[in-house]
Amino acid sequence: MAQAALPSLRSERRLGGAYLLVALLALFVGVATGLLQALDHAGLNLYPQVLPLLKSYYHGLSLHGVMNILVWTTFFICGFLQYLAARAFARPLVSPALAWFTFWLMTAGLVLAAIPLLGNHATVLFTFYPPMRAHWAFYVGLTLVVVGTWLVTWRLVLTYRAWRREHPQTRTPLAAFMALVTFVMWTLASLGLAVEMLVLLIPWSLGWRQGTDPLLARTLFWFTGHPIVYFWLLPTYISWYTLVPRQAGGQLFSDPMARASFLLFLLLSTPVGFHHQYTDPGIEQGWKLVHAFFTFAVFFPSLLTFFNVVASLEIGARRRGGQGLFAWFLKLPWGDPSLAAQVLAMILFAFGGIGGLVNASYSLNLVVHNTTYVVGHFHLTVGTAVTLSFMGITYWLVPVLRGRDLWSRRLALVQVWLWFAGMTVFSFALHDLGLQGMPRRTMISLATYVQAAWRPMMLLVGIGGTVLFLSALLYFLNLVLTCLASPRPAPEEPAFAEALSGPEEAPAILDRWRPWLLAAVVFILIAYGPTLVHLFRTTPLTVPGWRVW
Ligand code: HAS
Ligand code: CU
């Protein structure tokens, strides 16, 4: 790839490497604690054995959630997308000083949050619902991480403006456009969390404010907590749209359709948080219905993606001699671990997406809410669509950043198939147990109500979780050996895919920002305005904090 050879991208590479290192450390902590939880579900309580490190199941679960779902994702995305945007713009992004300031701010925030988390003073799970109250450093630290992500948005926007001045007539390169949409969407979406932190949780945890309110806090949390899933998913889609078609030997089917789907995410990601609060009293049914409709609407850009990405894979596979209605699928370059990881991630994501529809349907949600069904759902989505894709991306990205070839492709292939197999067993069992009524966020090995019929599936959770852990170990081993012991230089990084139907076929309005931003804000005001105004006006902040662990 011509852009990749630009020596001026060296500082972007270093930055990407720094973010990736933090992300991988977080993932390591996350998968290690995850193993203990899976074994607990199989009836094996190992917490007494790891006592000095982990005080309880819930201590481990908080670490697992925060490190995997918040830190691994966010740091990976900041590193990956800044690098990819630089490649797409074919220039380094503006202000390396801003970039490094941001990285260190986020890392400092992470360390600040991690100290109470590791010390069992923030055992409040990744959703940190009040009235459980963590140490103030946990909230302040996470807030600094979020502020850092805003600075990344700013850096991308400044770069876009500089690029636009030099290229007034050109369509924004697809990967850069998508990186911008991702960060702009996230910046809008993260306002809920910012208000929750600054107005409710931080003053309360510091003792400046005596009380808080669980409903108001949860509403602000899910304002951000739903769209955050698209903050994780969109970078995955960026890889599926702009790199995977080429890795599969073909072309992107439609560039305009890809842009349209991202703009739909900008509009529809945020006004949907109440589908996490269907069972919360105090939010009017009518607004829950509105959010349900918006949820079904935000399903649509993923369906566009399904169509576009499968069509692109088919182009590649047929060029490689694939034939038949479905048999072409076997002709994809399955020997490439980066490609294999991402296609396997897609397959499981189709099931995660269908489960999402079940969750989103009010009457079905009442059956599965707060059960392990939801845990099964999010291990297919963030735990596979996103994480397995990110692993696939690191199989080319780490060699590029480090300048050394992947230590072992074969080991990487074994790893991605193990993740696929382990997750299939693990998430199937969790879905099934959820339908049978097993609660989530529970140390089930100590529960007195476990039914005999649950036992076989509980065992499968333990087996699936162990396979996932082994897969993760192989992943880390391969990356460490790549960095330290790989004898060969890095091969060329995957080039951006050409599009069968190119950007110039998209209507010009797809490359403008104001109308879409305005529409996104209007949707948010419609979906949240009345409820938030009502809650802020009528809620007394009287609930004291609890330490229940
Ligand atoms: Fe979700 C709960 C609804 C997507 C993550 N979700 C969660 C939680 C997390 C999460 C972490 O409505 C738990 C939060 C907590 O702790 O309480 N979710 C949805 C819906 C979608 C969805 C409708 N979720 C995601 C994604 C996530 C994620 C993405 C992370 C990255 N979710 C819910 C609801 C709840 C929920 C409720 C609350 C439940 C409760 O009661 O608590 C949709 O966006 C999904 C759309 C996806 C698709 C699939 C498209 C497939 C593609 C691949 C195609 C290629 C293939 C290749 C298959 C429509 C693009 C195959 C090759 C061939 C040849 C065929
Ligand atoms: Cu959601």
Side-chain angles (χ1 to χ4, degrees), residues 69 126-127 129 222 226 229-230 232-233 237 240 275-276 278 295 298-299 302-303 305-306 309-310 313 328-329 343 346-347 349-350 352-353 356-357 359-360 365 369-370 374 377-378 381-382 386 440-441:
I69 223 170
F126 90 92
T127 41
Y129 290 152
W222 288 115
H226 176 75
V229 312
Y230 299 119
W232 309 325
L233 183 68
Y237 279 2
W240 294 0
H275 66 222
H276 294 268
Y278 283 154
T295 307
V298 77
F299 202 69
S302 279
L303 291 183
T305 303
F306 189 138
V309 168
V310 172
L313 291 178
W328 56 262
F329 198 60
V343 176
M346 291 173 199
I347 293 172
F349 185 48
L357 276 193
N359 295 339
N365 183 275
H369 183 63
N370 276 342
V374 176
H377 163 71
F378 68 69
T381 51
V382 65
V386 172
R440 65 181 285 203
R441 307 188 189 96

Short mmCIF file of all heavy atoms in Angstrom, two decimals, residues 69 126-127 129 222 226 229-230 232-233 237 240 275-276 278 295 298-299 302-303 305-306 309-310 313 328-329 343 346-347 349-350 352-353 356-357 359-360 365 369-370 374 377-378 381-382 386 440-441, ligand 1:
data_model
loop_
_atom_site.label_atom_id
_atom_site.label_comp_id
_atom_site.label_asym_id
_atom_site.label_seq_id
_atom_site.Cartn_x
_atom_site.Cartn_y
_atom_site.Cartn_z
N ILE A 69 -14.82 -4.54 28.37
CA ILE A 69 -15.86 -3.87 27.59
C ILE A 69 -15.56 -2.37 27.47
O ILE A 69 -15.92 -1.74 26.48
CB ILE A 69 -17.23 -4.17 28.24
CG1 ILE A 69 -18.28 -4.49 27.21
CG2 ILE A 69 -17.67 -3.05 29.12
CD1 ILE A 69 -19.54 -5.02 27.81
N PHE A 126 -19.47 -2.97 35.51
CA PHE A 126 -19.13 -1.93 34.52
C PHE A 126 -20.26 -0.92 34.34
O PHE A 126 -20.05 0.15 33.76
CB PHE A 126 -18.74 -2.57 33.17
CG PHE A 126 -19.89 -2.80 32.22
CD1 PHE A 126 -20.25 -1.84 31.29
CD2 PHE A 126 -20.60 -3.99 32.26
CE1 PHE A 126 -21.31 -2.06 30.42
CE2 PHE A 126 -21.65 -4.22 31.40
CZ PHE A 126 -22.01 -3.25 30.47
N THR A 127 -21.44 -1.23 34.88
CA THR A 127 -22.57 -0.30 34.75
C THR A 127 -22.64 0.68 35.92
O THR A 127 -23.42 1.62 35.88
CB THR A 127 -23.88 -1.10 34.68
OG1 THR A 127 -23.80 -2.17 35.62
CG2 THR A 127 -24.12 -1.67 33.31
N TYR A 129 -24.16 1.11 38.68
CA TYR A 129 -25.46 1.64 39.08
C TYR A 129 -25.42 2.14 40.53
O TYR A 129 -25.09 1.37 41.42
CB TYR A 129 -26.53 0.55 39.06
CG TYR A 129 -26.96 0.02 37.72
CD1 TYR A 129 -27.42 -1.28 37.62
CD2 TYR A 129 -26.95 0.81 36.58
CE1 TYR A 129 -27.87 -1.80 36.41
CE2 TYR A 129 -27.39 0.29 35.37
CZ TYR A 129 -27.85 -1.01 35.29
OH TYR A 129 -28.28 -1.52 34.11
N TRP A 222 -27.64 4.86 30.34
CA TRP A 222 -28.01 4.15 29.10
C TRP A 222 -28.12 5.07 27.89
O TRP A 222 -28.10 4.60 26.76
CB TRP A 222 -29.29 3.31 29.31
CG TRP A 222 -28.98 2.12 30.17
CD1 TRP A 222 -29.45 1.87 31.42
CD2 TRP A 222 -28.07 1.04 29.87
NE1 TRP A 222 -28.90 0.70 31.92
CE2 TRP A 222 -28.06 0.17 30.98
CE3 TRP A 222 -27.27 0.72 28.77
CZ2 TRP A 222 -27.28 -0.99 31.03
CZ3 TRP A 222 -26.48 -0.43 28.82
CH2 TRP A 222 -26.50 -1.26 29.94
N HIS A 226 -26.17 2.47 25.53
CA HIS A 226 -26.52 1.77 24.29
C HIS A 226 -25.59 2.17 23.14
O HIS A 226 -24.95 1.32 22.56
CB HIS A 226 -27.99 1.88 23.87
CG HIS A 226 -28.13 1.19 22.56
ND1 HIS A 226 -28.13 -0.17 22.45
CD2 HIS A 226 -28.07 1.66 21.29
CE1 HIS A 226 -28.11 -0.52 21.17
NE2 HIS A 226 -28.07 0.57 20.44
N VAL A 229 -22.22 0.63 22.28
CA VAL A 229 -22.04 -0.65 21.57
C VAL A 229 -21.74 -0.40 20.09
O VAL A 229 -21.05 -1.19 19.44
CB VAL A 229 -23.21 -1.65 21.74
CG1 VAL A 229 -23.61 -1.80 23.19
CG2 VAL A 229 -24.38 -1.36 20.85
N TYR A 230 -22.25 0.72 19.57
CA TYR A 230 -21.91 1.04 18.17
C TYR A 230 -20.55 1.71 18.08
O TYR A 230 -19.91 1.66 17.03
CB TYR A 230 -23.02 1.86 17.52
CG TYR A 230 -24.31 1.09 17.51
CD1 TYR A 230 -25.44 1.55 18.15
CD2 TYR A 230 -24.38 -0.17 16.90
CE1 TYR A 230 -26.60 0.80 18.18
CE2 TYR A 230 -25.53 -0.92 16.92
CZ TYR A 230 -26.64 -0.44 17.57
OH TYR A 230 -27.78 -1.19 17.61
N TRP A 232 -18.13 0.51 19.61
CA TRP A 232 -17.28 -0.68 19.45
C TRP A 232 -17.49 -1.33 18.10
O TRP A 232 -16.58 -1.87 17.50
CB TRP A 232 -17.58 -1.73 20.52
CG TRP A 232 -17.58 -1.24 21.92
CD1 TRP A 232 -16.77 -0.27 22.46
CD2 TRP A 232 -18.43 -1.67 22.98
NE1 TRP A 232 -17.08 -0.08 23.79
CE2 TRP A 232 -18.09 -0.93 24.13
CE3 TRP A 232 -19.45 -2.62 23.09
CZ2 TRP A 232 -18.72 -1.10 25.36
CZ3 TRP A 232 -20.07 -2.80 24.31
CH2 TRP A 232 -19.72 -2.05 25.43
N LEU A 233 -18.74 -1.31 17.64
CA LEU A 233 -19.07 -2.06 16.42
C LEU A 233 -18.59 -1.34 15.16
O LEU A 233 -18.13 -1.99 14.21
CB LEU A 233 -20.59 -2.27 16.34
CG LEU A 233 -21.08 -3.09 15.16
CD1 LEU A 233 -20.63 -4.55 15.28
CD2 LEU A 233 -22.61 -3.05 15.04
N TYR A 237 -16.90 -2.66 11.69
CA TYR A 237 -17.48 -2.51 10.35
C TYR A 237 -16.49 -1.81 9.40
O TYR A 237 -16.46 -2.09 8.21
CB TYR A 237 -18.78 -1.69 10.42
CG TYR A 237 -20.02 -2.46 10.84
CD1 TYR A 237 -19.97 -3.80 11.20
CD2 TYR A 237 -21.25 -1.83 10.88
CE1 TYR A 237 -21.12 -4.48 11.58
CE2 TYR A 237 -22.41 -2.50 11.26
CZ TYR A 237 -22.34 -3.82 11.62
OH TYR A 237 -23.48 -4.50 11.99
N TRP A 240 -14.40 -4.41 8.14
CA TRP A 240 -15.16 -5.29 7.24
C TRP A 240 -15.43 -4.63 5.89
O TRP A 240 -15.47 -5.28 4.86
CB TRP A 240 -16.50 -5.70 7.87
CG TRP A 240 -16.39 -6.56 9.09
CD1 TRP A 240 -15.23 -7.01 9.69
CD2 TRP A 240 -17.46 -7.07 9.89
NE1 TRP A 240 -15.53 -7.75 10.80
CE2 TRP A 240 -16.89 -7.80 10.96
CE3 TRP A 240 -18.86 -6.97 9.82
CZ2 TRP A 240 -17.67 -8.45 11.92
CZ3 TRP A 240 -19.62 -7.60 10.78
CH2 TRP A 240 -19.03 -8.34 11.82
N HIS A 275 -34.38 0.67 25.77
CA HIS A 275 -34.57 -0.79 25.68
C HIS A 275 -33.73 -1.51 26.75
O HIS A 275 -33.88 -2.71 26.92
CB HIS A 275 -34.32 -1.32 24.27
CG HIS A 275 -32.91 -1.22 23.77
ND1 HIS A 275 -32.60 -0.83 22.50
CD2 HIS A 275 -31.73 -1.47 24.37
CE1 HIS A 275 -31.30 -0.85 22.35
NE2 HIS A 275 -30.74 -1.23 23.46
N HIS A 276 -32.88 -0.77 27.47
CA HIS A 276 -32.22 -1.35 28.64
C HIS A 276 -33.03 -1.09 29.91
O HIS A 276 -32.64 -1.52 30.99
CB HIS A 276 -30.81 -0.76 28.81
CG HIS A 276 -29.89 -1.13 27.69
ND1 HIS A 276 -29.08 -2.24 27.73
CD2 HIS A 276 -29.68 -0.56 26.49
CE1 HIS A 276 -28.40 -2.34 26.60
NE2 HIS A 276 -28.74 -1.32 25.83
N TYR A 278 -36.64 -1.24 30.01
CA TYR A 278 -38.06 -1.60 29.86
C TYR A 278 -38.69 -1.92 31.22
O TYR A 278 -39.87 -1.69 31.43
CB TYR A 278 -38.20 -2.83 28.96
CG TYR A 278 -38.04 -2.57 27.48
CD1 TYR A 278 -37.61 -3.59 26.64
CD2 TYR A 278 -38.35 -1.33 26.92
CE1 TYR A 278 -37.47 -3.38 25.27
CE2 TYR A 278 -38.22 -1.11 25.55
CZ TYR A 278 -37.77 -2.15 24.73
OH TYR A 278 -37.64 -1.93 23.39
N THR A 295 -35.01 1.31 18.05
CA THR A 295 -34.13 0.15 18.09
C THR A 295 -34.30 -0.70 16.83
O THR A 295 -33.32 -1.17 16.24
CB THR A 295 -34.40 -0.71 19.34
OG1 THR A 295 -34.33 0.12 20.49
CG2 THR A 295 -33.38 -1.83 19.46
N VAL A 298 -32.49 1.03 14.07
CA VAL A 298 -31.02 0.95 14.03
C VAL A 298 -30.55 -0.46 13.67
O VAL A 298 -29.37 -0.69 13.41
CB VAL A 298 -30.39 1.45 15.36
CG1 VAL A 298 -30.49 0.44 16.46
CG2 VAL A 298 -28.93 1.87 15.16
N PHE A 299 -31.49 -1.39 13.61
CA PHE A 299 -31.18 -2.72 13.09
C PHE A 299 -30.85 -2.63 11.58
O PHE A 299 -30.04 -3.39 11.07
CB PHE A 299 -32.42 -3.59 13.29
CG PHE A 299 -32.17 -5.06 13.31
CD1 PHE A 299 -31.48 -5.63 14.37
CD2 PHE A 299 -32.63 -5.88 12.30
CE1 PHE A 299 -31.26 -6.99 14.41
CE2 PHE A 299 -32.41 -7.23 12.33
CZ PHE A 299 -31.72 -7.80 13.39
N SER A 302 -27.33 -2.32 10.08
CA SER A 302 -26.58 -3.57 10.18
C SER A 302 -27.03 -4.54 9.10
O SER A 302 -26.22 -5.33 8.59
CB SER A 302 -26.77 -4.21 11.57
OG SER A 302 -25.91 -3.60 12.50
N LEU A 303 -28.32 -4.48 8.73
CA LEU A 303 -28.76 -5.35 7.63
C LEU A 303 -28.11 -4.91 6.31
O LEU A 303 -27.70 -5.73 5.50
CB LEU A 303 -30.29 -5.32 7.50
CG LEU A 303 -31.03 -6.00 8.64
CD1 LEU A 303 -32.54 -5.98 8.39
CD2 LEU A 303 -30.57 -7.44 8.82
N THR A 305 -25.25 -3.59 6.12
CA THR A 305 -23.87 -4.05 6.22
C THR A 305 -23.78 -5.54 5.89
O THR A 305 -22.88 -5.98 5.17
CB THR A 305 -23.34 -3.78 7.65
OG1 THR A 305 -23.48 -2.39 7.91
CG2 THR A 305 -21.89 -4.19 7.79
N PHE A 306 -24.72 -6.29 6.43
CA PHE A 306 -24.76 -7.73 6.15
C PHE A 306 -24.74 -7.95 4.63
O PHE A 306 -23.89 -8.67 4.09
CB PHE A 306 -26.06 -8.31 6.77
CG PHE A 306 -26.14 -9.81 6.76
CD1 PHE A 306 -26.63 -10.49 7.88
CD2 PHE A 306 -25.77 -10.59 5.67
CE1 PHE A 306 -26.72 -11.87 7.91
CE2 PHE A 306 -25.86 -11.96 5.69
CZ PHE A 306 -26.34 -12.61 6.80
N VAL A 309 -21.38 -6.55 2.91
CA VAL A 309 -20.15 -7.29 3.24
C VAL A 309 -20.19 -8.69 2.63
O VAL A 309 -19.19 -9.16 2.07
CB VAL A 309 -19.95 -7.33 4.78
CG1 VAL A 309 -18.86 -8.31 5.15
CG2 VAL A 309 -19.61 -5.95 5.30
N VAL A 310 -21.35 -9.36 2.70
CA VAL A 310 -21.42 -10.71 2.12
C VAL A 310 -21.23 -10.61 0.60
O VAL A 310 -20.53 -11.44 0.00
CB VAL A 310 -22.75 -11.41 2.50
CG1 VAL A 310 -22.90 -12.71 1.73
CG2 VAL A 310 -22.79 -11.68 3.99
N LEU A 313 -17.58 -10.24 -0.01
CA LEU A 313 -16.87 -11.52 0.17
C LEU A 313 -17.11 -12.42 -1.04
O LEU A 313 -16.20 -13.11 -1.52
CB LEU A 313 -17.38 -12.24 1.44
CG LEU A 313 -17.04 -11.63 2.79
CD1 LEU A 313 -17.66 -12.45 3.92
CD2 LEU A 313 -15.53 -11.55 2.99
N TRP A 328 -19.19 -21.01 -2.84
CA TRP A 328 -18.11 -20.02 -3.01
C TRP A 328 -17.47 -19.66 -1.68
O TRP A 328 -16.29 -19.32 -1.61
CB TRP A 328 -18.62 -18.75 -3.69
CG TRP A 328 -19.78 -18.07 -3.00
CD1 TRP A 328 -21.10 -18.19 -3.33
CD2 TRP A 328 -19.73 -17.17 -1.88
NE1 TRP A 328 -21.88 -17.43 -2.48
CE2 TRP A 328 -21.06 -16.79 -1.58
CE3 TRP A 328 -18.71 -16.63 -1.11
CZ2 TRP A 328 -21.39 -15.93 -0.53
CZ3 TRP A 328 -19.04 -15.76 -0.06
CH2 TRP A 328 -20.36 -15.42 0.21
N PHE A 329 -18.29 -19.75 -0.63
CA PHE A 329 -17.84 -19.36 0.70
C PHE A 329 -16.57 -20.09 1.11
O PHE A 329 -15.70 -19.54 1.78
CB PHE A 329 -18.98 -19.68 1.67
CG PHE A 329 -18.89 -18.98 2.98
CD1 PHE A 329 -18.90 -17.59 3.05
CD2 PHE A 329 -18.81 -19.70 4.16
CE1 PHE A 329 -18.83 -16.94 4.27
CE2 PHE A 329 -18.73 -19.05 5.39
CZ PHE A 329 -18.75 -17.68 5.43
N VAL A 343 -14.27 -13.23 9.35
CA VAL A 343 -15.45 -13.89 8.77
C VAL A 343 -16.14 -14.75 9.83
O VAL A 343 -17.38 -14.78 9.93
CB VAL A 343 -15.07 -14.71 7.53
CG1 VAL A 343 -16.27 -15.47 6.99
CG2 VAL A 343 -14.51 -13.79 6.44
N MET A 346 -18.19 -12.53 11.86
CA MET A 346 -19.45 -12.16 11.19
C MET A 346 -20.51 -13.23 11.40
O MET A 346 -21.68 -12.93 11.66
CB MET A 346 -19.21 -12.00 9.69
CG MET A 346 -18.39 -10.81 9.30
SD MET A 346 -18.06 -10.92 7.52
CE MET A 346 -16.66 -9.83 7.39
N ILE A 347 -20.10 -14.49 11.25
CA ILE A 347 -21.08 -15.57 11.35
C ILE A 347 -21.75 -15.55 12.73
O ILE A 347 -22.97 -15.58 12.85
CB ILE A 347 -20.41 -16.93 11.07
CG1 ILE A 347 -19.98 -16.99 9.61
CG2 ILE A 347 -21.35 -18.08 11.40
CD1 ILE A 347 -19.13 -18.19 9.25
N PHE A 349 -21.91 -13.09 14.69
CA PHE A 349 -22.63 -11.83 14.89
C PHE A 349 -24.06 -11.91 14.34
O PHE A 349 -24.97 -11.26 14.87
CB PHE A 349 -21.89 -10.66 14.24
CG PHE A 349 -22.52 -9.33 14.51
CD1 PHE A 349 -22.88 -8.97 15.80
CD2 PHE A 349 -22.77 -8.42 13.50
CE1 PHE A 349 -23.47 -7.75 16.08
CE2 PHE A 349 -23.36 -7.20 13.75
CZ PHE A 349 -23.72 -6.86 15.05
N ALA A 350 -24.26 -12.70 13.29
CA ALA A 350 -25.62 -12.83 12.78
C ALA A 350 -26.54 -13.34 13.89
O ALA A 350 -27.67 -12.85 14.06
CB ALA A 350 -25.63 -13.77 11.57
N GLY A 352 -25.93 -13.05 17.18
CA GLY A 352 -26.00 -11.99 18.20
C GLY A 352 -27.01 -10.94 17.80
O GLY A 352 -27.75 -10.42 18.64
N GLY A 353 -27.08 -10.63 16.51
CA GLY A 353 -28.03 -9.62 16.02
C GLY A 353 -29.47 -10.10 16.19
O GLY A 353 -30.34 -9.34 16.63
N GLY A 356 -30.46 -9.78 19.60
CA GLY A 356 -30.72 -8.36 19.90
C GLY A 356 -32.17 -8.00 19.63
O GLY A 356 -32.79 -7.23 20.37
N LEU A 357 -32.73 -8.58 18.58
CA LEU A 357 -34.15 -8.31 18.27
C LEU A 357 -35.05 -8.87 19.35
O LEU A 357 -36.08 -8.28 19.69
CB LEU A 357 -34.52 -8.95 16.93
CG LEU A 357 -34.22 -8.16 15.69
CD1 LEU A 357 -34.92 -8.78 14.49
CD2 LEU A 357 -34.64 -6.71 15.84
N ASN A 359 -34.20 -9.18 22.50
CA ASN A 359 -34.05 -8.24 23.62
C ASN A 359 -34.88 -6.99 23.41
O ASN A 359 -35.41 -6.41 24.35
CB ASN A 359 -32.59 -7.79 23.76
CG ASN A 359 -31.66 -8.91 24.13
OD1 ASN A 359 -32.10 -9.93 24.64
ND2 ASN A 359 -30.38 -8.72 23.86
N ALA A 360 -34.92 -6.55 22.16
CA ALA A 360 -35.55 -5.26 21.87
C ALA A 360 -37.07 -5.34 21.89
O ALA A 360 -37.74 -4.31 21.95
CB ALA A 360 -35.08 -4.76 20.51
N ASN A 365 -38.46 -9.19 26.04
CA ASN A 365 -37.45 -8.68 26.96
C ASN A 365 -37.81 -9.00 28.41
O ASN A 365 -36.95 -9.30 29.23
CB ASN A 365 -37.31 -7.16 26.78
CG ASN A 365 -36.21 -6.59 27.66
OD1 ASN A 365 -36.44 -6.27 28.82
ND2 ASN A 365 -35.00 -6.50 27.13
N HIS A 369 -34.74 -10.39 30.35
CA HIS A 369 -34.02 -9.31 31.03
C HIS A 369 -33.41 -9.82 32.33
O HIS A 369 -34.03 -10.56 33.08
CB HIS A 369 -34.98 -8.15 31.32
CG HIS A 369 -34.31 -6.97 31.97
ND1 HIS A 369 -33.32 -6.26 31.33
CD2 HIS A 369 -34.46 -6.40 33.17
CE1 HIS A 369 -32.90 -5.29 32.14
NE2 HIS A 369 -33.57 -5.36 33.28
N ASN A 370 -32.17 -9.39 32.58
CA ASN A 370 -31.45 -9.80 33.80
C ASN A 370 -31.22 -11.29 33.91
O ASN A 370 -30.96 -11.81 35.00
CB ASN A 370 -32.15 -9.28 35.07
CG ASN A 370 -31.71 -7.85 35.37
OD1 ASN A 370 -30.70 -7.38 34.85
ND2 ASN A 370 -32.47 -7.16 36.19
N VAL A 374 -28.93 -12.40 28.16
CA VAL A 374 -28.30 -11.14 27.77
C VAL A 374 -26.77 -11.30 27.74
O VAL A 374 -26.09 -10.77 26.86
CB VAL A 374 -28.74 -9.99 28.71
CG1 VAL A 374 -28.02 -8.70 28.38
CG2 VAL A 374 -30.25 -9.81 28.66
N HIS A 377 -25.95 -12.90 24.61
CA HIS A 377 -26.06 -11.91 23.52
C HIS A 377 -24.79 -11.07 23.42
O HIS A 377 -24.20 -10.93 22.34
CB HIS A 377 -27.28 -11.02 23.78
CG HIS A 377 -27.29 -9.74 23.00
ND1 HIS A 377 -27.49 -9.70 21.64
CD2 HIS A 377 -27.10 -8.44 23.38
CE1 HIS A 377 -27.44 -8.44 21.22
NE2 HIS A 377 -27.20 -7.66 22.27
N PHE A 378 -24.32 -10.56 24.55
CA PHE A 378 -23.22 -9.60 24.37
C PHE A 378 -21.86 -10.28 24.21
O PHE A 378 -20.92 -9.65 23.75
CB PHE A 378 -23.23 -8.47 25.39
CG PHE A 378 -22.96 -8.77 26.82
CD1 PHE A 378 -21.70 -9.17 27.24
CD2 PHE A 378 -23.95 -8.60 27.77
CE1 PHE A 378 -21.45 -9.41 28.58
CE2 PHE A 378 -23.71 -8.84 29.11
CZ PHE A 378 -22.45 -9.25 29.51
N THR A 381 -21.75 -10.39 20.48
CA THR A 381 -21.60 -9.09 19.82
C THR A 381 -20.23 -8.48 20.18
O THR A 381 -19.29 -8.60 19.41
CB THR A 381 -22.76 -8.16 20.21
OG1 THR A 381 -22.90 -8.14 21.64
CG2 THR A 381 -24.06 -8.61 19.61
N VAL A 382 -20.15 -7.94 21.40
CA VAL A 382 -18.86 -7.30 21.73
C VAL A 382 -17.77 -8.35 21.95
O VAL A 382 -16.61 -8.14 21.61
CB VAL A 382 -19.00 -6.35 22.94
CG1 VAL A 382 -19.35 -7.06 24.21
CG2 VAL A 382 -17.73 -5.53 23.13
N VAL A 386 -16.89 -7.99 17.72
CA VAL A 386 -15.89 -6.94 17.91
C VAL A 386 -14.54 -7.54 18.29
O VAL A 386 -13.53 -7.29 17.62
CB VAL A 386 -16.39 -5.94 18.99
CG1 VAL A 386 -15.30 -4.94 19.35
CG2 VAL A 386 -17.64 -5.22 18.50
N ARG A 440 -28.41 -13.28 35.66
CA ARG A 440 -27.05 -12.83 35.36
C ARG A 440 -26.48 -12.11 36.59
O ARG A 440 -27.17 -11.93 37.58
CB ARG A 440 -27.04 -11.90 34.14
CG ARG A 440 -27.78 -10.60 34.35
CD ARG A 440 -27.78 -9.71 33.11
NE ARG A 440 -26.49 -9.07 32.90
CZ ARG A 440 -26.31 -7.95 32.20
NH1 ARG A 440 -27.35 -7.34 31.64
NH2 ARG A 440 -25.12 -7.43 32.04
N ARG A 441 -25.23 -11.70 36.51
CA ARG A 441 -24.53 -10.97 37.58
C ARG A 441 -24.68 -11.68 38.93
O ARG A 441 -24.94 -11.05 39.95
CB ARG A 441 -25.09 -9.55 37.75
CG ARG A 441 -25.15 -8.70 36.50
CD ARG A 441 -25.53 -7.27 36.90
NE ARG A 441 -25.82 -6.41 35.79
CZ ARG A 441 -27.04 -6.17 35.33
NH1 ARG A 441 -28.10 -6.73 35.88
NH2 ARG A 441 -27.22 -5.34 34.32
FE1 HAS B 1 -27.20 -5.47 22.35
C1 HAS B 1 -28.01 -5.65 25.71
C2 HAS B 1 -30.47 -5.01 21.54
C3 HAS B 1 -26.34 -5.10 19.02
C4 HAS B 1 -23.88 -5.22 23.24
N1 HAS B 1 -26.15 -5.47 24.13
C5 HAS B 1 -26.67 -5.57 25.39
C6 HAS B 1 -25.60 -5.56 26.36
C7 HAS B 1 -24.43 -5.40 25.66
C8 HAS B 1 -24.80 -5.35 24.25
C9 HAS B 1 -23.04 -5.28 26.23
O1 HAS B 1 -33.03 -4.21 22.98
C10 HAS B 1 -25.75 -5.73 27.87
C11 HAS B 1 -25.71 -4.45 28.63
C12 HAS B 1 -25.89 -4.73 30.10
O2 HAS B 1 -24.89 -5.02 30.78
O3 HAS B 1 -27.02 -4.72 30.59
N2 HAS B 1 -28.22 -5.17 20.59
C13 HAS B 1 -29.56 -5.04 20.49
C14 HAS B 1 -29.93 -4.90 19.07
C15 HAS B 1 -28.74 -4.94 18.37
C16 HAS B 1 -27.69 -5.09 19.33
C17 HAS B 1 -31.30 -4.75 18.51
N3 HAS B 1 -25.46 -5.23 21.33
C18 HAS B 1 -25.33 -5.08 19.97
C19 HAS B 1 -23.95 -4.89 19.64
C20 HAS B 1 -23.25 -4.92 20.82
C21 HAS B 1 -24.22 -5.13 21.87
C22 HAS B 1 -23.44 -4.66 18.23
C23 HAS B 1 -21.82 -4.77 21.11
C24 HAS B 1 -20.89 -4.56 20.22
N4 HAS B 1 -28.90 -5.38 23.41
C25 HAS B 1 -30.13 -5.11 22.90
C26 HAS B 1 -31.10 -4.96 24.00
C27 HAS B 1 -30.39 -5.14 25.19
C28 HAS B 1 -29.02 -5.40 24.79
C29 HAS B 1 -32.53 -4.68 23.92
C30 HAS B 1 -30.94 -5.06 26.63
C31 HAS B 1 -31.29 -6.39 27.14
C32 HAS B 1 -31.69 -6.33 28.58
O4 HAS B 1 -32.86 -6.63 28.88
O5 HAS B 1 -30.87 -5.99 29.46
C33 HAS B 1 -28.61 -4.76 16.86
O6 HAS B 1 -27.83 -3.63 16.59
C34 HAS B 1 -28.01 -5.96 16.18
C35 HAS B 1 -27.91 -5.80 14.67
C36 HAS B 1 -27.08 -6.89 14.05
C37 HAS B 1 -27.39 -7.60 12.97
C38 HAS B 1 -26.45 -8.65 12.45
C39 HAS B 1 -25.85 -8.26 11.12
C40 HAS B 1 -24.81 -9.24 10.67
C41 HAS B 1 -23.67 -8.93 10.01
C42 HAS B 1 -22.68 -10.00 9.62
C43 HAS B 1 -22.97 -10.46 8.22
C44 HAS B 1 -22.03 -11.47 7.62
C45 HAS B 1 -22.14 -12.80 7.78
C46 HAS B 1 -21.21 -13.68 7.02
C47 HAS B 1 -23.14 -13.43 8.65
C48 HAS B 1 -28.64 -7.35 12.21
C49 HAS B 1 -23.36 -7.52 9.63
C50 HAS B 1 -21.87 -15.01 6.75
C51 HAS B 1 -21.63 -15.48 5.40
C52 HAS B 1 -22.60 -15.93 4.57
C53 HAS B 1 -22.27 -16.53 3.29
C54 HAS B 1 -24.04 -15.80 4.94
#
